[in-house]
Every structure is written in structure tokens, then in C-alpha cells.
Amino acid sequence: MKKKLTSLLIVTSIVLLMLVTTTPAFASGGQVRGDNAQGSANQVQVQDPPPFQP
């Protein structure tokens, strides 16, 4: 009985750990970027300006 309870605890903790680590990977995203963007596809790029050419 004690052996079964210990193995059940180990299995449930492994499953819980897997769920906690993989859920954030599926939760992000949702924006399509490209020619047919849906939603707000705003991007801010920070880049040094080109050198001044007289």
C-alpha cells in the first residue's frame, strides 16, 4: 500500500511538472505578421542612424 502511494505521488508530481513547464509555450503568440496581418502587428526597431553624408 505504501509503495503504491509513493509511486502514485511520484507520477503525479512528474505530470504536474510537465504541465507547468509546457503550458507557457502554448500560451504565447496569436499574432500573424506579414502581408495579411491580423490584429495589431506593431514592431519597434531600435537601430543607429546611418552616418551623415554631405
Side-chain angles (χ1 to χ4, degrees):
M1 180 70 179
K2 201 170 193 181
K3 211 176 213 183
K4 287 183 182 181
L5 183 63
T6 325
S7 63
L8 183 66
L9 252 168
I10 291 172
V11 168
T12 53
S13 63
I14 290 173
V15 168
L16 185 64
L17 180 67
M18 286 174 49
L19 282 174
V20 167
T21 54
T22 57
T23 302
F26 294 119
S28 63
Q31 289 185 346
V32 179
R33 291 187 167 84
D35 292 336
N36 300 324
Q38 298 173 354
S40 60
N42 299 330
Q43 294 181 357
V44 177
Q45 296 180 358
V46 178
Q47 184 179 6
D48 291 336
F52 179 74
Q53 299 290 332

